[in-house]
C-alpha cells in the first residue's frame, strides 16, 4: 500500500497542479489499514510527543488533515458548534507544532508551512504569500538535497510573480529571522525515510 508521502511525491513528479495536490491532501486518509482504536491511540501518542516538543512527532501531527483527526477520534458526530470549535483548535495546534519544528530546523515543516501559507490555510495571517516565500527561502538556504532545492525553487519562482514589492520586502525580513532562529538551534532535520533516505517535500 502506498503511503501518503509516496502518493504526494508521485503527484509532484507528474507535474500535477497545485489544486490537484491540495485536493489530494484533503482526501488522503492517513494510517489506512489499521483499526479505528489503533488510529486514535496512535494520534494520542503523537499529540503527547508533539506537545513535549519532540520534533518528528511535531512533523507528523502537522501533516494530519483536520478532518481525519476529527473522524479518527470519533468527533464527527459532535454538535455543529462544538465540532467547529474542536476542529479549529486542532488546526491551530498543528500549525503551532509546524512553526516550532520549522524554527528548529525541520525542512519538512518549512515546506509544509510554505504550502499552507500559499493556499491561505493559516488563519489571521495578513502576509501569507510573503511568509510562504520566506519559508521556501529558508529551506533553500539550508537544504543540501538537489531535488528539494529544485522543488522549492520552482515554488518560489511561481510565487515571486504574484508578490508585490512590500510582500517581497517582508519576505526577505522573515527569511532572515527564520534563518537566525534555525542557526541558534544549531540543527537541520532533513526530509527522511528508512528505505530511500528522502521523502516528499511538503
Amino acid at each position: 500500500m502506498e503511503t501518503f508521502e509516496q502518493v504526494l511525491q508521485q503527484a509532484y513528479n507528474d507535474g500535477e497542479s497545485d489544486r490537484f495536490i491540495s485536493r489530494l491532501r484533503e482526501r488522503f486518509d492517513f494510517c489506512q489499514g489499521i483499526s479505528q482504536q489503533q488510529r486514535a491511540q496512535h494520534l494520542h501518542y503523537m499529540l503527547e510527543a508533539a506537545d513535549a516538543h519532540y520534533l518528528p512527532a511535531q512533523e507528523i501531527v502537522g501533516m494530519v488533515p483536520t478532518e481525519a483527526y476529527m473522524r479518527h477520534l470519533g468527533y464527527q458526530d459532535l454538535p455543529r458548534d462544538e465540532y467547529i470549535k474542536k476542529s479549529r483548535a486542532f488546526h491551530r495546534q498543528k500549525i503551532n507544532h509546524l512553526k516550532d519544528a520549522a524554527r528548529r530546523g525541520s525542512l519538512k515543516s518549512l515546506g509544509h508551512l510554505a504550502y499552507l501559507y500559499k493556499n491561505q490555510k493559516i488563519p489571521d495571517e495578513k502576509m501569507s504569500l510573503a511568509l510562504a516565500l520566506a519559508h521556501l527561502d529558508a529551506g533553500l538556504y539550508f537544504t543540501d538535497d538537489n531535488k528539494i532545492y529544485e522543488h522549492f525553487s520552482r515554488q518560489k519562482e511561481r510565487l515571486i510573480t504574484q508578490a508585490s514589492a512590500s510582500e517581497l520586502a517582508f519576505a526577505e525580513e522573515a527569511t532572515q529571522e527564520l534563518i537566525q532562529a534555525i542557526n541558534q538551534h544549531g540543527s537541520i532535520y532533513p526530509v527522511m525515510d528508512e528505505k530511500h533516505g528522502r521523502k516528499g517535500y511538503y
Side-chain angles (χ1 to χ4, degrees), residues 4-5 8 12 21-22 25-26 58-66 91 94-95 97-99 101-102 106-122 131-132 135-136 139 151-152 191 200-202:
F4 171 69
E5 297 284 355
L8 186 61
Y12 282 124
I21 291 171
S22 177
R25 291 176 180 280
E26 292 171 357
Q58 290 180 311
E59 291 180 334
I60 291 170
V61 169
M63 297 289 287
V64 174
T66 301
H91 187 72
K94 72 177 186 178
I95 295 302
H97 284 312
L98 284 171
K99 288 180 177 180
S106 165
L107 290 176
K108 178 180 285 189
S109 297
L110 286 169
H112 193 51
L113 282 167
Y115 165 83
L116 294 173
Y117 280 123
K118 179 184 68 172
N119 290 283
Q120 298 183 333
K121 292 182 177 291
I122 299 180
L131 288 167
H135 284 75
L136 290 171
H151 178 69
F152 278 24
V191 184
Y201 313 126
Y202 285 168

Side-chain angles (χ1 to χ4, degrees), residues 129-144:
L129 192 151
L131 288 167
L133 280 169
H135 284 75
L136 290 171
D137 273 334
L140 287 167
Y141 182 88
F142 285 108
T143 188
D144 60 358

